[in-house]
Amino acid sequence: MRLGVLVVLLAVLALIQVAFGALWIPPARVLEALTGPPRDFTDTIILQQRLPRVAVACTVGAALAVAGLVLQKVMQNVLVSPSTLGINAGATVAVVLAMFFGMSGGTLLFPALIGGTAAMGATLLASRLIAGQGDRRLDLVLAGSMIGILCSSVSTFVISLDPDLFGDLMGWLVGDIGNFDYLALPVVLPVVAVALAIALILCPQLDLLTTGEDQARLLGVNTALLQGLALALAVLLAVAAVVVVGPIGFIGLVVPHLVKLAMGETGRATLVAVALTGPCLLMLADILARVALAPRVLHVGTVMGLSGGAIFLVMVLALVRRGRA
Amino acid sequence: MHPLEVCSASFGYGARPVLHGVSLSVAAGEFVAVVGPNGSGKSTLMRLMAGLERPASGTVRVMGRDIATFSRRRFARHVALLTQGSGVPQAMVARDMVAMGRHCHQGFLNRRSAADDDVIDAALAEMEVADLALRRMGELSGGQVQRMRMAMVLAQGGEVLLLDEPTTFLDLRHQYGLLRRAKRAARDGRAVVAVLHDFTQASIYADRIALMQDGRMVGVGTPAGVLTEAAIHRVFGVRTHGVRIQGAVIHLPVDR
């Protein structure tokens, strides 16, 4: 039932997203273009510019949100996500470097994968090193932000070396789903689809981890294998999103949290809801970005950064307060 | 062949040895109570038998097969362990947690069958928690959580049932309810091993007692044969006076 509501919401937001833009296209006209043969310039805009935008929002939103959910399940930590663990920033620096050396399109997925994996590895290692008497969960996020800052600095430095690259990358770096990499989408879309299917299959086993690692093993889970597989899956989903639209933060953090409030923490329905809510939130942010300061256009990354940052602060506060009580 | 055989198993955490050549065989239909002071290695022995740790030397066999050769899923179909209460998923609906016991019996996609549901409902009923099945775990009391966890372990099934201090958190009624259920599991042909602190409960329900001290098995046999005044003084450093009531031996401390 709730999933049905989400599907309707997603369809409505997609329609609005297609309608909005430099040229306002009435929703009725959009439906016409979708059902009939292409006739004029408006149809071209809808089919070649606005619809791909919806496809991007769906792919990226679902990928980032599910990546966040999987990370949170594996690490049993509500504060982890592709952005707070530094995975996004790691993939970004790798993509920037690859583009500096002339790579483009779908092949960027490989350097992104290496960058994202390396950044997460570095975060896990750093969190071990700084582990003190305090909350393990906060150590991990602290290490993630350090690695994130490190990666961002390198990205900025590399971009500053090449003025042309700066022009190409500006929209991508601030996370703009209107300014995505067309060539990457046909590669990324099937990769994301397969990864989401695997996440759906692994979901019940990931749920068993909520009982604790030992208990999960007793119930028949090969925990080491599952954790490795799930981490790889989350990194793949996150970096696939980065390759298309650049680093958009907080989708992976906020969406699982919102969905858990409404649907509980476990079960395949929760995962599907997360995969549907990610695109909804991203489209909402995109629409907001274009309406908020019109005619000036904000970027989705900016809107997500502002709202996500605030929500993250509230979550940390809640966690710290509960820890003290 | 016994369902569970531990042959001179040794184990240590890092450089600290915990178990020294412990052996214990449990037959189908038998209830064995493991007793011993704190830190004598009871829980570590349970972890070894549940495959959570590998012995440094010696072997643990389940159904005649070295447990190192099982996959976790296959092993879970044979051996279930009720651990000492660790974290439970607070937000999870209780019945969903109990249903996790069926995971190892399900296929690749983890579809829950009607037979699974029957087993889950039976386990909930047996632990008298059927009316709490739709509550979230975080809403339950310590005793209710413990009974839910026991229901999960019962739903898992298998030839070997391991219980590590199962009566913790439970009031008297549910302590005996749980022990009766464990005893019935043994009567149904399972091999049951329980760590118990209460000698009276151990001597009433167990067919045999395994007495541990400093990582060694210092006595295995009938309750009356193992839990003697001399053995209790030697192992626990407490002088007791054993009283025989209806076949059970109850130990009262001497220096009251």
Side-chain angles (χ1 to χ4, degrees), chain A residues 93 96-97 100 149-163 165-166 173:
Chain A
V93 70
V96 167
L97 271 169
F100 183 74
I149 291 167
L150 220 76
C151 292
S152 301
S153 312
V154 178
S155 297
T156 316
F157 169 69
V158 174
I159 293 170
S160 72
L161 292 178
D162 184 346
L165 199 60
F166 180 78
L173 273 182

Side-chain angles (χ1 to χ4, degrees), chain A residues 208 211-221 223, chain B residues 46-47 49-52 72-73 75-77 79-83 100-101 103-104 149 152-153 156 162:
Chain A
L208 291 185
T211 58
E213 209 170 314
D214 277 347
Q215 186 68 65
R217 291 172 71 197
L218 292 169
L219 292 170
V221 178
T223 48
Chain B
M46 297 298 264
R47 288 180 66 81
M49 293 190 294
L52 291 176
R72 275 307 331 174
R73 181 183 286 254
F75 186 71
R77 291 181 200 152
V79 180
L81 164 66
L82 180 70
T83 58
M100 286 179 166
H103 172 266
C104 58
R149 295 173 72 243
M152 176 174 79
V153 168
Q156 191 178 339
L162 308 174

Side-chain angles (χ1 to χ4, degrees), chain A residues 5-319:
Chain A
V5 172
L6 278 174
V7 171
V8 172
L9 182 66
L10 186 64
V12 170
L13 283 169
L15 204 60
I16 296 174
Q17 209 198 10
V18 174
F20 259 112
L23 175 71
W24 162 257
I25 306 171
R29 180 75 189 77
V30 175
L31 291 175
E32 235 171 72
L34 288 179
T35 49
R39 289 164 308 190
D40 54 13
F41 183 58
T42 312
D43 285 325
T44 315
I45 293 183
I46 291 172
L47 294 175
Q48 297 195 354
Q49 286 196 346
R50 303 281 173 91
L51 280 183
R53 205 179 170 107
V54 171
V56 166
C58 289
T59 311
V60 168
L64 286 173
V66 171
L69 182 71
V70 169
L71 287 172
Q72 289 173 19
K73 278 180 187 286
V74 173
M75 300 185 168
Q76 294 294 303
N77 183 344
V78 293
L79 297 178
V80 299
S81 71
S83 49
T84 49
L85 287 183
I87 298 170
N88 281 355
T92 303
V93 70
V95 168
V96 167
L97 271 169
M99 288 176 84
F100 183 74
F101 290 111
M103 280 177 79
S104 68
T107 50
L108 287 173
L109 196 55
F110 294 105
L113 206 51
I114 294 168
T117 308
M120 193 186 66
T123 297
L124 292 178
L125 194 68
S127 79
R128 287 267 164 80
L129 295 179
I130 62 174
Q133 302 300 311
D135 197 324
R136 263 289 283 150
R137 293 172 295 183
L138 290 177
D139 288 342
L140 203 55
V141 176
L142 190 62
S145 11
M146 294 193 304
I147 298 298
I149 291 167
L150 220 76
C151 292
S152 301
S153 312
V154 178
S155 297
T156 316
F157 169 69
V158 174
I159 293 170
S160 72
L161 292 178
D162 184 346
D164 292 339
L165 199 60
F166 180 78
D168 290 347
L169 279 177
M170 197 49 216
W172 185 80
L173 273 182
V174 294
D176 180 1
I177 66 171
N179 189 6
F180 57 88
D181 189 339
Y182 273 103
L183 294 172
L185 192 60
V187 178
V188 165
L189 192 65
V191 168
V192 168
V194 171
L196 288 178
I198 296 174
L200 202 58
I201 291 171
L202 292 183
C203 189
Q205 299 207 44
L206 289 170
D207 287 347
L208 291 185
L209 288 178
T210 56
T211 58
E213 209 170 314
D214 277 347
Q215 186 68 65
R217 291 172 71 197
L218 292 169
L219 292 170
V221 178
N222 184 339
T223 48
L225 182 67
L226 178 68
Q227 285 165 335
L229 205 60
L231 286 182
L233 200 67
V235 170
L236 179 64
L237 283 167
V239 305
V242 169
V243 165
V244 182
V245 298
I248 295 183
F250 297 111
I251 294 264
L253 180 77
V254 173
V255 172
H257 195 63
L258 286 176
V259 172
K260 279 180 201 165
L261 288 179
M263 301 192 47
E265 293 193 16
T266 52
R268 285 201 170 107
T270 297
L271 191 135
V272 173
V274 165
L276 290 171
T277 307
C280 285
L281 193 66
L282 201 56
M283 288 179 183
L284 201 66
D286 187 38
I287 294 165
L288 211 66
R290 283 187 276 169
V291 175
L293 293 181
R296 268 198 89 82
V297 174
L298 282 171
H299 294 286
V300 179
T302 315
V303 174
M304 280 315 302
L306 286 173
S307 50
I311 295 173
F312 185 53
L313 188 66
V314 171
M315 285 172 70
V316 174
L317 276 177
L319 196 74

Side-chain angles (χ1 to χ4, degrees), chain B residues 167 170-183 198 200-202 204-205:
Chain B
T167 53
L170 297 180
D171 61 30
L172 201 61
R173 171 192 165 83
H174 291 111
Q175 284 185 27
Y176 284 109
L178 187 143
L179 290 168
R180 265 200 306 277
R181 181 61 189 84
K183 184 75 175 173
D198 187 315
T200 310
Q201 289 179 347
I204 294 170
Y205 287 99

